[in-house]
Amino acid sequence: MRCLGIDPGLGTLGYGIVLQKNDRLIAETYGVVRTPTELSIARRLDFLYEELAAKTRDYPPDVIAVEKLYFGRNVTTAEMVWQARGVVLLFASRLGIEPYEPKPAEMKMAVCGNGAADKVQVQGMIRYLLALDETPRPDDAADALGMAIVGLSLANNDRRLAISR
Amino acid sequence: MRCLGIDPGLGTLGYGIVLQKNDRLIAETYGVVRTPTELSIARRLDFLYEELAAKTRDYPPDVIAVEKLYFGRNVTTAEMVWQARGVVLLFASRLGIEPYEPKPAEMKMAVCGNGAADKVQVQGMIRYLLALDETPRPDDAADALGMAIVGLSLANNDRRLAISR
């Protein structure tokens, strides 16, 4: 089972693709997509969609997890992130996948067993779980890998429930 | 020249297609797309995209205007509208069209000559400019027609500027 995790954003979008093979988790690819700032918002959204298609071509996901963000009152940043997030959700739907939308605390819980874990703890656990030689950089890529891990965990739970019915 | 105007939303999206033929404005089609509430957000965004493609099949636009919204602190509503708006902007980009993003006040100015005009005035002017037998309903469809009108006005200005260069 393979999960694409996404930390959505218009300027920088983090992605991480994790394969679960028996009890092992393998980070097949991860990184960030940066959209050219000289392009319009509409063109940047299009750029994001095409990059998602390109990144997943060799690693077609079975599961997708897109971080659910909370902005409080910072509405200006929220606008761009949510527009990008809409495009990511559309991308998932077009692959026929119903995306999970975990909150950051749910990801921390799945990765660290603690929904309030700090960034260093979370990144350390992601590195450990994926047996990486170094901490994934930048933060958006690490967050996306965390999303992929929680996505696999949620999908495993859903499958167990489906089987036990 | 034909403009697709959009009042974005996830549950209800207003659309209006206006053809400018010499000095006449003709409302070729307008209405709202309502997405089934039993679908997930991702599937509803996909539904919106497909409906936009279907509505424009017989009326391919040269210009697209997508309302630019301001939410203040109402972040919960904003999230869904912006996710839908991201999909609309992507749709425009995929048609090779750079969308205009007029604010409501700009639409009111273009339609009524008054950026603070009230809804009744705006809808009355839209009806008059498009020579409609009745006021377009619901409000989202009327707003979308207003967006189409301001989109044509902005495109005409841009073309004049391009010619005079």
Side-chain angles (χ1 to χ4, degrees), chain A residues 9-160:
Chain A
L10 180 72
T12 305
L13 172 143
Y15 67 93
I17 298 181
V18 175
L19 179 71
Q20 179 181 0
K21 211 174 173 180
N22 304 317
D23 281 348
R24 274 180 66 209
L25 296 178
I26 302 157
E28 295 184 305
T29 181
Y30 62 91
V32 293
V33 175
R34 293 188 204 277
T35 59
T37 51
E38 66 272 20
L39 297 183
S40 68
I41 307 296
R43 295 279 310 281
R44 291 170 85 179
L45 292 169
D46 202 345
F47 187 97
L48 277 183
Y49 191 100
E50 291 305 319
E51 285 292 308
L52 287 173
K55 301 300 184 197
T56 53
R57 208 158 283 143
D58 293 337
Y59 308 102
D62 309 295
V63 178
I64 296 181
V66 186
E67 190 168 346
K68 175 92 179 163
L69 302 119
Y70 175 73
F71 284 96
R73 290 183 183 164
N74 194 349
V75 176
T76 314
T77 320
E79 178 176 355
M80 294 305 154
V81 175
W82 277 328
Q83 289 182 165
R85 200 170 182 283
V87 166
V88 175
L89 295 177
L90 177 73
F91 176 78
S93 179
R94 294 214 153 178
L95 290 183
I97 297 173
E98 196 54 66
Y100 291 106
E101 305 188 38
K103 293 173 189 163
E106 292 173 281
M107 185 268 273
K108 290 174 185 177
M109 180 59 90
V111 169
C112 293
N114 171 6
D118 68 24
K119 195 161 79 178
V120 175
Q121 287 177 289
V122 172
Q123 293 185 354
M125 277 304 293
I126 288 170
R127 179 180 165 182
Y128 172 76
L129 291 169
L130 299 174
L132 298 171
D133 290 334
E134 46 191 29
T135 303
R137 291 272 172 247
D139 288 352
D140 313 78
D143 281 348
L145 286 170
M147 280 288 132
I149 294 169
V150 64
L152 288 168
S153 153
L154 291 165
N156 283 319
N157 277 331
D158 283 350
R159 285 176 190 201
R160 271 192 291 272

Side-chain angles (χ1 to χ4, degrees), chain B residues 75-98:
Chain B
V75 176
T76 313
T77 321
E79 178 176 355
M80 294 305 154
V81 175
W82 277 328
Q83 289 183 167
R85 199 170 184 281
V87 166
V88 174
L89 295 177
L90 177 72
F91 175 78
S93 178
R94 294 214 152 178
L95 290 183
I97 297 174
E98 195 54 67

Side-chain angles (χ1 to χ4, degrees), chain B residues 12-44:
Chain B
T12 306
L13 172 143
Y15 68 92
I17 299 181
V18 174
L19 178 71
Q20 179 181 359
K21 211 173 172 181
N22 304 318
D23 281 347
R24 275 179 65 209
L25 296 178
I26 302 158
E28 294 184 304
T29 181
Y30 62 92
V32 294
V33 175
R34 294 189 204 276
T35 59
T37 51
E38 66 272 20
L39 297 183
S40 68
I41 308 296
R43 296 278 310 281
R44 292 171 85 179

